Amino acid sequence: DTGVSQDPRHKITKRGQNVTFRCDPISEHNRLYWYRQTLGQGPEFLTYFQNEAQLEKSRLLSDRFSAERPKGSFSTLEIQRTEQGDSAMYLCASSPGGVYGYTFGSGTRLTVV
Amino acid sequence: EDQVTQSPEALRLQEGESSSLNCSYTVSGLRGLFWYRQDPGKGPEFLFTLYSAGEEKEKERLKATLTKKESFLHITAPKPEDSATYLCAVYNAGNNRKLIWGLGTSLAVNP
């Protein structure tokens, strides 16, 4: 296992289009997190899974955002009807639970034009 | 309100010039404090976890320390490859499913 993988690394899309990102966590990790990060800011929490259950979703997240983690393995994050304000780095992280550091993927850079 | 504040926002050092980055926090019941390094266009890379006041961790030129109110990341004789943004995050007792993040310190080390 080589760590957390995210695909694609970069995505350019036109406003109004739907996009989907994929995250493959470290296989032994049962917790998976999605974050969004813009330039000069720390990561902003979006949502969190424990195994296949989505346990928490940020109140700041609009209904255009949805995430899944079927079978508790990989996860997808979909953004519908993208807006220019969605342009950011989308980060996925996994952890074994408890008070352990997260392992992050390299992120997906989304640009909405 | 739980909060993590990092200072300075940016720091420029000459190679070999030691310094410290600060992470101050106000959370109810700290369960863990984390330091990460982030290079441009990449995800954060885990450096250290500190669990209780008085604890120290070291890795190469980096040393992290923790008190009841703040953490320091000491950089000894830095090299240009240490240039990155350093992020601090905390778990607290009431919110141990996700981290609370600072905005980071952008470090540039000139040769």
Side-chain angles (χ1 to χ4, degrees):
Chain A
D1 198 353
T2 56
V4 178
S5 299
Q6 290 189 246
D7 183 70
R9 289 295 312 276
H10 304 276
K11 178 71 177 179
I12 300 175
T13 190
K14 291 184 177 180
R15 189 174 50 190
Q17 298 294 305
N18 299 344
V19 294
T20 300
F21 310 141
R22 178 181 170 121
C23 171
D24 287 272
I26 293 173
S27 56
E28 310 89 78
H29 289 181
N30 60 5
R31 293 189 180 182
L32 186 149
Y33 303 81
W34 284 100
Y35 281 85
R36 176 171 61 189
Q37 189 178 27
T38 53
L39 198 62
Q41 301 293 312
E44 174 192 13
F45 171 78
L46 296 180
T47 190
Y48 144 70
F49 292 85
Q50 181 157 317
N51 300 312
E52 66 275 9
Q54 186 175 18
L55 296 188
E56 190 168 347
K57 185 175 176 180
S58 170
R59 280 170 282 180
L60 302 175
L61 210 58
S62 79
D63 292 340
R64 297 184 297 106
F65 288 72
S66 62
E68 295 182 341
R69 191 184 182 196
K71 302 179 183 177
S73 56
F74 71 92
S75 176
T76 57
L77 177 69
E78 181 183 17
I79 308 174
Q80 296 182 327
R81 304 181 303 282
T82 52
E83 302 172 355
Q84 286 191 320
D86 297 330
S87 295
M89 173 77 87
Y90 289 83
L91 295 165
C92 175
S94 68
S95 84
V99 191
Y100 292 98
Y102 299 173
T103 301
F104 281 86
S106 295
T108 294
R109 167 75 65 188
L110 173 67
T111 303
V112 182
V113 297
Chain B
E1 181 183 348
D2 296 334
Q3 201 165 19
V4 176
T5 304
Q6 291 188 247
S7 62
E9 289 184 13
L11 181 62
R12 186 175 295 275
L13 300 174
Q14 288 299 122
E15 184 172 2
E17 179 187 1
S18 301
S19 189
S20 297
L21 313 182
N22 177 264
C23 171
S24 63
Y25 59 90
T26 52
V27 296
S28 52
L30 178 74
R31 294 195 61 200
L33 184 143
F34 302 86
W35 282 98
Y36 285 83
R37 169 194 169 122
Q38 187 172 26
D39 293 301
K42 296 188 176 181
E45 175 189 347
F46 173 76
L47 293 174
F48 303 110
T49 307
L50 301 167
Y51 294 104
S52 57
E55 189 174 1
E56 298 182 352
K57 295 270 180 77
E58 285 190 66
K59 180 180 178 180
E60 297 179 353
R61 295 177 293 281
L62 300 177
K63 179 180 177 180
T65 62
L66 181 65
T67 72
K68 290 185 178 180
K69 294 182 179 180
E70 59 192 347
S71 175
F72 292 94
L73 185 65
H74 306 278
I75 304 177
T76 302
K79 298 181 177 181
E81 53 263 42
D82 295 322
S83 299
T85 295
Y86 290 85
L87 293 164
C88 171
V90 301
Y91 264 140
N92 67 356
N95 193 22
N96 64 354
R97 294 188 298 275
K98 61 182 188 287
L99 299 176
I100 303 168
W101 293 86
L103 297 182
T105 293
S106 176
L107 174 66
V109 182
N110 297 325

